[in-house]
Amino acid sequence: MTATTLFQRTAGPLGAPFLLLGGSLGSNLDMWRPQLPRFGDRLRVVRFDHRGHGASPVPQGPYRIEDLGRDVLALLDRLGIERTSYCGLSLGGMVGMWLAANAPQRIERLVLICTSAHLPPSDGWLDRARQVRAGGMQPVADAVLGRWFTPRYRAALPTRMTSYRAMIAACPAEGYAAGCEAIAAMDLREDLARIAAPTLVIAGADDPATPPEHGELIHRRIRNSRLVVVPNAAHLANVEQPDTISQLISDHVTD
């Protein structure tokens, strides 16, 4: 499949180390807003929307993780970035593992947040893809929101939950469905041993979508890695625990 020209936003001082941020299935690049003020002037941050998400084009699915990875390589080429650190959450982390295993010369350091190298059963993802293609995003938005944040966080910040629900509902149905198909077909477990970039694996202690044991498997199979389990965080740990996650990312990629 031909690489898609991804929508991106770049911020931070010229000359600072580059960091790419790849988001979750159903999100757009605004999910990383909590990190931007906390990185200060330490990083040159490139946020992007996966194909089928946000303001990026929506090619017809199904997609594969390799397709999304090649989109990122094309983005690096377009921006003239030879080598960068990469941080991905959920789907973005899956893309990060593919990049670090298959284009190691482009990845300096790697951060993998609330993600998995293999997320069966595939039938569940394919059923969700069919549901979204038939009925759009509104019927699944509440369930997705329930996986993104802990009950306590949702109850404490109802206005913020309205905003994130709107983000989910605005995701193009075809892009979300094709992303589900990419996860259904994904098995990166054998790729992990080829990852040489120093890797930080972060799991949310209360993440129902990719529980900590998924991070533990990734950590065991990537030689140069460490695992941090963050308490009081569900799937979008970067939003629920922004100070902790931002500090972990910044320390790892600027060490």
Side-chain angles (χ1 to χ4, degrees):
M1 184 178 288
T2 303
T4 295
T5 301
L6 301 178
F7 179 76
Q8 62 86 26
R9 284 285 182 262
T10 301
L14 293 172
F18 275 104
L19 173 65
L20 260 67
L21 296 175
S24 175
L25 178 70
S27 74
N28 61 46
L29 53 74
D30 284 340
M31 67 161 275
W32 295 108
R33 279 189 176 179
Q35 275 57 65
L36 294 182
R38 292 168 171 84
F39 288 155
D41 61 356
R42 301 183 70 184
L43 295 166
R44 180 82 166 156
V45 177
V46 180
R47 297 174 295 152
F48 66 89
D49 290 330
H50 298 292
R51 66 167 62 191
H53 287 64
S56 286
V58 188
Q60 187 70 28
Y63 307 159
R64 294 292 181 264
I65 298 299
E66 178 180 353
D67 299 325
L68 277 65
R70 294 195 182 281
D71 291 344
V72 174
L73 293 177
L75 174 63
L76 293 177
D77 291 343
R78 178 159 56 95
L79 297 177
I81 301 172
E82 290 296 323
R83 191 167 172 86
T84 182
S85 292
Y86 179 97
C87 171
L89 187 149
S90 188
L91 180 62
M94 299 166 194
V95 173
M97 287 181 272
W98 185 91
L99 288 165
N102 292 278
Q105 72 281 6
R106 309 301 294 269
I107 304 301
E108 183 74 31
R109 289 175 176 263
L110 183 64
V111 182
L112 304 171
I113 307 174
C114 296
T115 192
S116 179
H118 183 54
L119 203 54
S122 61
D123 286 349
W125 293 104
L126 298 177
D127 287 345
R128 197 190 305 183
R130 285 189 287 268
Q131 179 184 4
V132 167
R133 284 198 177 100
M137 291 298 296
Q138 287 288 352
V140 303
D142 288 331
V144 174
L145 197 68
R147 291 187 288 271
W148 277 10
F149 304 108
T150 61
R152 176 185 291 184
Y153 191 79
R154 296 198 308 273
L157 296 165
T159 301
R160 188 171 297 178
M161 293 305 98
T162 299
S163 174
Y164 279 98
R165 190 189 188 283
M167 177 187 288
I168 297 163
C171 184
E174 177 59 27
Y176 187 90
C180 289
E181 290 166 336
I183 296 172
M186 176 197 68
D187 189 348
L188 297 166
R189 289 175 293 179
E190 297 304 315
D191 291 8
L192 297 176
R194 305 204 314 271
I195 294 177
T199 300
L200 172 64
V201 184
I202 301 173
D206 305 305
D207 181 3
T210 54
E213 54 263 32
H214 290 258
E216 291 166 2
L217 183 147
I218 294 168
H219 166 55
R220 288 197 305 270
R221 297 197 180 190
I222 298 177
R223 291 185 300 276
N224 189 9
S225 70
R226 69 184 183 104
L227 171 67
V228 177
V229 179
V230 176
N232 301 313
H235 198 51
L236 256 61
N238 72 299
V239 176
E240 198 156 0
Q241 297 295 337
D243 291 332
T244 298
I245 298 295
S246 300
Q247 192 66 55
L248 286 167
I249 296 169
S250 181
D251 288 348
H252 181 70
V253 301
T254 61
D255 182 17

Coordinates of all heavy atoms in Angstrom, one line a residue, residues 140-212:
V140 N -20.0 3.2 19.8 CA -18.9 2.6 20.5 C -18.1 3.6 21.4 O -17.2 3.3 22.1 CB -17.9 2.0 19.5 CG1 -18.5 0.9 18.7 CG2 -17.1 3.0 18.7
A141 N -18.5 4.9 21.3 CA -17.8 6.0 21.9 C -17.7 5.8 23.4 O -16.7 6.0 24.1 CB -18.3 7.4 21.6
D142 N -18.8 5.5 24.1 CA -18.8 5.4 25.5 C -18.0 4.2 26.0 O -17.3 4.3 27.0 CB -20.3 5.2 26.0 CG -21.1 6.5 25.9 OD1 -20.5 7.6 26.0 OD2 -22.3 6.4 25.7
A143 N -18.0 3.1 25.3 CA -17.2 1.9 25.6 C -15.7 2.3 25.5 O -14.9 1.9 26.4 CB -17.6 0.7 24.8
V144 N -15.3 3.0 24.5 CA -13.9 3.4 24.3 C -13.5 4.3 25.4 O -12.4 4.1 26.0 CB -13.7 4.0 22.9 CG1 -12.3 4.6 22.8 CG2 -14.0 3.0 21.8
L145 N -14.4 5.3 25.8 CA -14.1 6.2 26.8 C -13.9 5.4 28.2 O -13.0 5.8 29.0 CB -15.2 7.2 27.0 CG -14.9 8.5 27.8 CD1 -13.9 9.4 27.0 CD2 -16.2 9.2 28.0
G146 N -14.7 4.4 28.4 CA -14.5 3.6 29.6 C -13.2 2.9 29.7 O -12.8 2.6 30.8
R147 N -12.6 2.5 28.6 CA -11.3 1.9 28.6 C -10.2 2.9 28.7 O -9.1 2.6 29.2 CB -11.1 1.1 27.3 CG -12.0 -0.2 27.2 CD -11.6 -1.0 26.1 NE -12.0 -0.5 24.8 CZ -13.2 -0.7 24.2 NH1 -14.1 -1.4 24.8 NH2 -13.5 -0.1 23.0
W148 N -10.4 4.1 28.2 CA -9.4 5.2 28.2 C -9.1 5.7 29.6 O -7.9 6.0 29.9 CB -9.8 6.3 27.3 CG -9.5 6.1 25.9 CD1 -9.1 5.0 25.3 CD2 -9.6 7.1 24.8 NE1 -8.9 5.2 23.9 CE2 -9.2 6.5 23.6 CE3 -10.0 8.4 24.8 CZ2 -9.2 7.1 22.4 CZ3 -9.9 9.1 23.6 CH2 -9.6 8.5 22.4
F149 N -10.1 5.8 30.5 CA -9.9 6.4 31.8 C -10.5 5.6 32.9 O -11.5 4.9 32.7 CB -10.6 7.8 31.8 CG -10.0 8.7 30.7 CD1 -10.8 9.0 29.6 CD2 -8.8 9.3 30.7 CE1 -10.4 9.9 28.6 CE2 -8.3 10.1 29.7 CZ -9.1 10.4 28.6
T150 N -10.0 5.8 34.1 CA -10.5 5.1 35.3 C -11.8 5.7 35.7 O -12.1 6.9 35.4 CB -9.5 5.2 36.5 OG1 -9.4 6.5 36.8 CG2 -8.2 4.5 36.2
P151 N -12.7 4.9 36.3 CA -14.0 5.5 36.8 C -13.8 6.7 37.6 O -14.6 7.7 37.5 CB -14.6 4.3 37.6 CG -14.0 3.1 37.0 CD -12.6 3.5 36.6
R152 N -12.8 6.7 38.5 CA -12.7 7.9 39.4 C -12.3 9.1 38.6 O -12.9 10.2 38.8 CB -11.5 7.6 40.4 CG -11.2 8.8 41.3 CD -10.0 8.6 42.2 NE -10.3 7.6 43.2 CZ -9.5 7.2 44.1 NH1 -8.3 7.8 44.2 NH2 -9.8 6.3 45.0
Y153 N -11.5 9.0 37.6 CA -11.1 10.1 36.7 C -12.3 10.6 35.9 O -12.5 11.8 35.8 CB -9.9 9.7 35.8 CG -9.3 10.9 35.1 CD1 -8.4 11.7 35.7 CD2 -9.6 11.1 33.7 CE1 -7.8 12.7 35.1 CE2 -9.0 12.1 33.1 CZ -8.0 13.0 33.7 OH -7.5 14.0 33.0
R154 N -13.1 9.7 35.4 CA -14.2 10.1 34.6 C -15.2 10.8 35.5 O -15.8 11.8 35.0 CB -14.9 8.9 34.0 CG -14.0 8.2 32.9 CD -14.8 7.2 32.0 NE -15.7 6.3 32.7 CZ -15.4 5.1 33.2 NH1 -14.1 4.7 33.0 NH2 -16.2 4.3 33.8
A155 N -15.5 10.4 36.7 CA -16.4 11.0 37.6 C -16.0 12.4 38.0 O -16.8 13.3 38.2 CB -16.7 10.1 38.8
A156 N -14.7 12.6 38.2 CA -14.2 13.8 38.7 C -14.1 14.9 37.6 O -14.2 16.1 38.0 CB -12.7 13.6 39.3
L157 N -14.0 14.6 36.3 CA -13.8 15.5 35.3 C -14.8 15.3 34.1 O -14.5 15.0 33.0 CB -12.4 15.5 34.8 CG -11.3 15.8 35.8 CD1 -10.0 15.3 35.3 CD2 -11.3 17.3 36.0
P158 N -16.1 15.5 34.4 CA -17.1 15.3 33.4 C -17.0 16.1 32.1 O -17.2 15.7 31.0 CB -18.5 15.5 34.1 CG -18.1 16.4 35.2 CD -16.8 16.0 35.7
T159 N -16.6 17.4 32.3 CA -16.4 18.3 31.1 C -15.3 17.8 30.2 O -15.4 17.7 29.0 CB -16.2 19.7 31.6 OG1 -17.3 20.1 32.4 CG2 -16.0 20.6 30.4
R160 N -14.2 17.3 30.9 CA -13.1 16.8 30.1 C -13.5 15.5 29.4 O -13.1 15.2 28.2 CB -11.9 16.5 31.0 CG -10.6 16.1 30.2 CD -9.4 16.1 31.1 NE -9.1 17.4 31.7 CZ -8.2 17.7 32.5 NH1 -7.4 16.7 33.0 NH2 -8.0 18.9 33.0
M161 N -14.3 14.7 30.0 CA -14.8 13.5 29.4 C -15.7 13.8 28.2 O -15.6 13.0 27.1 CB -15.6 12.6 30.4 CG -14.8 12.1 31.5 SD -13.4 11.1 31.0 CE -12.0 12.3 31.1
T162 N -16.5 14.8 28.2 CA -17.2 15.2 27.1 C -16.3 15.5 25.9 O -16.6 15.2 24.7 CB -18.1 16.5 27.4 OG1 -19.0 16.1 28.5 CG2 -18.9 16.9 26.2
S163 N -15.2 16.2 26.2 CA -14.3 16.5 25.1 C -13.6 15.3 24.5 O -13.5 15.2 23.3 CB -13.2 17.5 25.7 OG -12.2 17.7 24.7
Y164 N -13.2 14.3 25.3 CA -12.6 13.1 24.8 C -13.6 12.2 24.1 O -13.3 11.6 23.1 CB -11.8 12.4 25.9 CG -10.5 13.0 26.1 CD1 -10.3 13.9 27.2 CD2 -9.4 12.7 25.3 CE1 -9.0 14.5 27.4 CE2 -8.2 13.3 25.5 CZ -8.0 14.2 26.6 OH -6.8 14.8 26.7
R165 N -14.8 12.2 24.6 CA -15.9 11.5 23.9 C -16.1 12.1 22.5 O -16.2 11.3 21.5 CB -17.2 11.5 24.6 CG -18.2 10.5 24.0 CD -19.6 10.6 24.7 NE -20.4 9.5 24.2 CZ -21.0 9.5 23.0 NH1 -20.8 10.5 22.1 NH2 -21.8 8.5 22.7
A166 N -16.1 13.4 22.4 CA -16.2 14.0 21.1 C -15.0 13.7 20.2 O -15.2 13.5 18.9 CB -16.3 15.5 21.2
M167 N -13.8 13.5 20.7 CA -12.7 13.1 19.9 C -12.9 11.7 19.3 O -12.7 11.5 18.1 CB -11.4 13.1 20.8 CG -10.2 12.6 20.1 SD -8.7 12.4 21.1 CE -8.3 14.1 21.5
I168 N -13.4 10.8 20.1 CA -13.7 9.5 19.7 C -14.7 9.5 18.6 O -14.6 8.9 17.5 CB -14.1 8.6 20.8 CG1 -12.9 8.4 21.9 CG2 -14.5 7.2 20.3 CD1 -13.4 7.9 23.2
A169 N -15.8 10.2 18.9 CA -17.0 10.2 17.9 C -16.6 10.8 16.6 O -17.2 10.5 15.6 CB -18.1 11.0 18.5
A170 N -15.6 11.7 16.6 CA -15.2 12.4 15.4 C -14.2 11.6 14.5 O -13.9 12.0 13.4 CB -14.5 13.8 15.7
C171 N -13.7 10.5 15.1 CA -12.8 9.7 14.3 C -13.5 9.1 13.1 O -14.6 8.5 13.2 CB -12.2 8.5 15.2 SG -11.0 7.5 14.3
P172 N -12.9 9.2 11.9 CA -13.6 8.6 10.7 C -13.8 7.1 10.9 O -12.9 6.3 11.3 CB -12.6 8.8 9.6 CG -11.8 10.0 10.0 CD -11.7 9.9 11.5
A173 N -15.1 6.7 10.6 CA -15.4 5.3 10.9 C -14.5 4.3 10.1 O -14.1 3.3 10.6 CB -16.9 5.1 10.5
E174 N -14.2 4.6 8.9 CA -13.4 3.7 8.1 C -12.0 3.6 8.6 O -11.4 2.6 8.7 CB -13.3 4.2 6.6 CG -12.4 3.3 5.7 CD -12.8 1.9 5.6 OE1 -14.0 1.6 5.8 OE2 -12.0 1.0 5.4
G175 N -11.5 4.8 9.1 CA -10.1 4.8 9.7 C -10.1 3.9 11.0 O -9.1 3.2 11.2
Y176 N -11.1 4.1 11.8 CA -11.1 3.3 13.0 C -11.3 1.8 12.7 O -10.6 1.0 13.3 CB -12.3 3.8 13.9 CG -12.3 3.2 15.3 CD1 -11.7 3.8 16.3 CD2 -13.0 2.0 15.5 CE1 -11.7 3.2 17.6 CE2 -13.1 1.4 16.8 CZ -12.4 2.1 17.8 OH -12.4 1.5 19.1
A177 N -12.2 1.5 11.8 CA -12.4 0.1 11.5 C -11.2 -0.5 10.9 O -10.8 -1.7 11.3 CB -13.6 0.0 10.5
A178 N -10.5 0.2 10.0 CA -9.3 -0.3 9.4 C -8.2 -0.5 10.4 O -7.3 -1.4 10.3 CB -8.9 0.5 8.2
G179 N -8.1 0.4 11.4 CA -7.2 0.3 12.5 C -7.5 -0.9 13.4 O -6.5 -1.6 13.8
C180 N -8.7 -1.2 13.6 CA -9.1 -2.5 14.3 C -8.6 -3.7 13.5 O -8.1 -4.6 14.1 CB -10.6 -2.6 14.4 SG -11.4 -1.4 15.6
E181 N -8.7 -3.6 12.2 CA -8.2 -4.8 11.4 C -6.7 -4.9 11.5 O -6.2 -6.0 11.4 CB -8.7 -4.6 9.9 CG -10.2 -4.8 9.8 CD -10.8 -4.2 8.5 OE1 -10.1 -3.4 7.9 OE2 -11.9 -4.7 8.1
A182 N -6.0 -3.8 11.6 CA -4.6 -3.8 11.7 C -4.2 -4.5 13.0 O -3.3 -5.3 13.1 CB -4.0 -2.4 11.7
I183 N -4.9 -4.2 14.1 CA -4.6 -4.8 15.4 C -5.0 -6.3 15.4 O -4.3 -7.2 15.9 CB -5.3 -4.1 16.5 CG1 -4.8 -2.7 16.6 CG2 -5.2 -4.8 17.9 CD1 -5.6 -1.8 17.6
A184 N -6.1 -6.6 14.7 CA -6.5 -8.1 14.6 C -5.4 -8.9 13.9 O -5.2 -10.1 14.3 CB -7.8 -8.1 13.8
A185 N -4.7 -8.3 12.9 CA -3.7 -9.1 12.2 C -2.3 -9.0 12.8 O -1.4 -9.7 12.3 CB -3.7 -8.6 10.7
M186 N -2.2 -8.3 13.8 CA -0.8 -8.0 14.4 C -0.3 -9.1 15.2 O -1.0 -9.6 16.1 CB -0.9 -6.7 15.2 CG 0.4 -6.3 15.9 SD 0.2 -5.1 17.2 CE -0.8 -6.0 18.4
D187 N 1.0 -9.4 15.0 CA 1.7 -10.2 16.0 C 3.2 -9.8 15.9 O 3.9 -10.2 15.0 CB 1.6 -11.7 15.7 CG 2.2 -12.6 16.8 OD1 2.9 -12.0 17.7 OD2 1.9 -13.8 16.8
L188 N 3.6 -8.9 16.8 CA 5.0 -8.4 16.8 C 5.9 -9.1 17.8 O 7.0 -8.7 18.0 CB 4.9 -6.9 17.1 CG 4.1 -6.0 16.1 CD1 3.9 -4.6 16.8 CD2 4.9 -5.8 14.8
R189 N 5.4 -10.2 18.4 CA 6.2 -10.8 19.4 C 7.6 -11.2 19.0 O 8.6 -11.1 19.7 CB 5.4 -12.0 20.0 CG 4.2 -11.5 20.8 CD 3.4 -12.7 21.3 NE 2.8 -13.4 20.2 CZ 2.0 -14.5 20.3 NH1 1.8 -15.0 21.5 NH2 1.4 -15.0 19.2
E190 N 7.7 -11.8 17.8 CA 9.0 -12.2 17.3 C 9.9 -11.1 16.9 O 11.1 -11.2 16.7 CB 8.8 -13.2 16.1 CG 8.1 -14.5 16.5 CD 8.8 -15.2 17.7 OE1 10.0 -15.3 17.7 OE2 8.1 -15.6 18.6
D191 N 9.3 -9.9 16.6 CA 10.1 -8.7 16.2 C 10.8 -8.1 17.4 O 11.8 -7.4 17.2 CB 9.2 -7.7 15.6 CG 8.6 -8.0 14.3 OD1 8.8 -9.2 13.9 OD2 8.0 -7.2 13.6
L192 N 10.3 -8.4 18.6 CA 10.9 -7.6 19.8 C 12.3 -7.9 20.0 O 13.1 -7.0 20.4 CB 10.0 -8.0 21.0 CG 8.6 -7.6 21.0 CD1 7.9 -8.1 22.2 CD2 8.4 -6.1 20.8
A193 N 12.8 -9.1 19.7 CA 14.2 -9.4 20.0 C 15.1 -8.6 19.1 O 16.3 -8.5 19.3 CB 14.5 -10.9 19.8
R194 N 14.6 -8.1 18.0 CA 15.4 -7.3 17.0 C 15.5 -5.8 17.4 O 16.2 -5.1 16.7 CB 14.9 -7.4 15.6 CG 14.7 -8.8 15.1 CD 14.7 -8.9 13.6 NE 13.9 -7.9 12.9 CZ 12.6 -8.1 12.6 NH1 12.0 -9.2 12.9 NH2 11.9 -7.1 12.0
I195 N 14.8 -5.4 18.4 CA 14.8 -4.0 18.8 C 16.0 -3.7 19.6 O 16.2 -4.3 20.7 CB 13.5 -3.6 19.6 CG1 12.3 -3.8 18.6 CG2 13.6 -2.2 20.1 CD1 11.0 -3.5 19.3
A196 N 16.9 -2.8 19.1 CA 18.1 -2.4 19.8 C 18.0 -1.1 20.5 O 18.9 -0.8 21.4 CB 19.3 -2.4 18.8
A197 N 17.1 -0.2 20.1 CA 17.0 1.1 20.7 C 16.7 0.9 22.2 O 15.9 0.1 22.6 CB 15.9 1.9 20.0
P198 N 17.3 1.7 23.1 CA 17.0 1.8 24.5 C 15.5 2.0 24.6 O 15.0 3.0 24.1 CB 17.8 2.9 25.1 CG 19.0 3.0 24.1 CD 18.4 2.7 22.8
T199 N 14.8 1.2 25.4 CA 13.3 1.2 25.4 C 12.8 1.4 26.8 O 13.2 0.6 27.7 CB 12.8 -0.1 24.7 OG1 13.2 -0.1 23.4 CG2 11.2 -0.1 24.7
L200 N 11.8 2.3 26.9 CA 11.1 2.4 28.2 C 9.7 1.9 27.9 O 9.0 2.4 27.0 CB 11.0 3.9 28.6 CG 10.1 4.2 29.8 CD1 10.5 3.5 31.0 CD2 10.1 5.8 30.0
V201 N 9.2 1.0 28.7 CA 7.9 0.4 28.6 C 7.1 0.9 29.8 O 7.5 0.7 30.9 CB 7.9 -1.1 28.5 CG1 6.5 -1.7 28.4 CG2 8.8 -1.6 27.5
I202 N 6.0 1.6 29.5 CA 5.1 2.1 30.6 C 3.7 1.4 30.5 O 3.1 1.4 29.4 CB 4.9 3.6 30.4 CG1 6.3 4.4 30.5 CG2 4.0 4.2 31.5 CD1 6.2 5.8 30.2
A203 N 3.3 0.9 31.6 CA 1.9 0.3 31.7 C 1.1 1.1 32.7 O 1.6 1.6 33.7 CB 2.0 -1.1 32.1
G204 N -0.2 1.2 32.4 CA -1.1 1.7 33.4 C -1.6 0.6 34.3 O -2.1 -0.4 33.8
A205 N -1.5 0.8 35.6 CA -1.9 -0.3 36.5 C -3.4 -0.6 36.4 O -3.7 -1.8 36.7 CB -1.6 0.2 38.0
D206 N -4.2 0.3 35.9 CA -5.6 0.0 35.8 C -6.1 0.0 34.4 O -7.3 0.3 34.1 CB -6.4 1.1 36.6 CG -5.9 1.2 38.1 OD1 -5.9 0.2 38.7 OD2 -5.5 2.3 38.5
D207 N -5.2 -0.3 33.5 CA -5.6 -0.3 32.0 C -6.3 -1.6 31.7 O -5.7 -2.7 31.7 CB -4.3 -0.2 31.2 CG -4.5 -0.1 29.7 OD1 -5.7 -0.2 29.3 OD2 -3.5 -0.1 29.0
P208 N -7.6 -1.5 31.3 CA -8.3 -2.7 30.9 C -8.1 -3.2 29.5 O -8.4 -4.3 29.1 CB -9.8 -2.3 31.1 CG -9.8 -0.8 30.8 CD -8.5 -0.3 31.3
A209 N -7.5 -2.3 28.7 CA -7.3 -2.6 27.2 C -6.0 -3.3 27.0 O -6.0 -4.3 26.3 CB -7.4 -1.3 26.4
T210 N -4.9 -2.8 27.6 CA -3.6 -3.5 27.5 C -3.1 -3.6 29.0 O -2.3 -2.7 29.4 CB -2.7 -2.8 26.6 OG1 -2.6 -1.4 27.0 CG2 -3.1 -2.8 25.2
P211 N -3.5 -4.5 29.8 CA -3.1 -4.6 31.2 C -1.6 -4.8 31.3 O -0.9 -5.1 30.3 CB -3.8 -5.9 31.6 CG -5.0 -6.1 30.7 CD -4.5 -5.6 29.4
P212 N -1.0 -4.6 32.5 CA 0.4 -4.6 32.7 C 1.1 -5.8 32.2 O 2.3 -5.7 31.8 CB 0.6 -4.4 34.2 CG -0.6 -3.6 34.6 CD -1.7 -4.1 33.7

